[in-house]
Amino acid sequence: MNRKSKGIRQEATRFIIVGTVATAIQYGTYYLIMNRINVSVAWTIAYLISFICNFVMTTYFTFHVKPSKRKAVGFTLSHIVNWAFQTGFLNLFIYIGMSKAIAPIPMYMICMPVNFMLVRFFMKNQKLNLPRLNTK
């Protein structure tokens, strides 16, 4: 196995660990509030709480990069796409008859691989053409 593919495997393993922790935070929060408020609102609140933890763990542990404004913007963009996929699939599975408690399981199975590719691109791509953020 060459060095590059070994590195990607190690990143994927760390991504799964971080993803498991972030998913537990997200699902736990969602489960606690899903019967109190609208499902999509509950999902969004849970997603935002998980998002903050996920960014810190992803930068330092998964990809061993330093956080920066540019990486934060890219991470946010990838997670906006991921949130839209997750919310859409969650509501689709509920619409077709799955319970609110079970619907996240197939949704995660679909969305996690897509999210890995998006996050890896934004964390590792040094030629990312995002606009520079002025700190002045």
Side-chain angles (χ1 to χ4, degrees):
M1 177 182 322
N2 68 33
R3 192 179 289 181
K4 185 177 180 176
S5 63
K6 183 179 180 185
I8 292 172
R9 274 186 186 216
Q10 289 173 340
E11 287 173 352
T13 300
R14 291 189 302 263
F15 182 85
I16 290 167
I17 293 166
V18 168
T20 300
V21 171
T23 299
I25 292 168
Q26 182 180 2
Y27 185 79
T29 304
Y30 167 75
Y31 190 81
L32 290 173
I33 62 177
M34 70 181 183
N35 290 319
R36 295 184 176 108
I37 59 178
N38 173 279
V39 172
S40 293
V41 173
W43 191 254
T44 301
I45 290 168
Y47 195 93
L48 291 172
I49 292 168
S50 172
F51 173 84
I52 294 165
C53 299
N54 196 344
F55 178 70
V56 172
M57 292 185 294
T58 296
T59 54
Y60 288 111
F61 178 68
T62 303
F63 295 110
H64 299 289
V65 296
K66 290 183 180 183
S68 68
K69 289 180 183 178
R70 290 173 65 91
K71 285 184 175 71
V73 169
F75 190 82
T76 301
L77 291 173
S78 69
H79 276 75
I80 288 170
V81 171
N82 189 50
W83 171 83
F85 280 152
Q86 285 190 2
T87 303
F89 280 112
L90 177 72
N91 283 289
L92 173 67
F93 291 130
I94 291 169
Y95 177 78
I96 64 172
M98 287 186 155
S99 76
K100 292 189 285 187
I102 300 299
I105 295 170
M107 177 275 310
Y108 281 129
M109 294 171 71
I110 294 167
C111 295
M112 281 185 168
V114 174
N115 190 44
F116 174 73
M117 291 182 289
L118 288 170
V119 170
R120 186 175 193 285
F121 173 79
F122 282 111
M123 288 292 156
K124 300 293 278 194
N125 190 344
Q126 299 301 318
K127 297 177 182 172
L128 189 60
N129 292 321
L130 291 175
R132 293 213 181 261
L133 300 173
N134 291 332
T135 56
K136 295 179 184 178

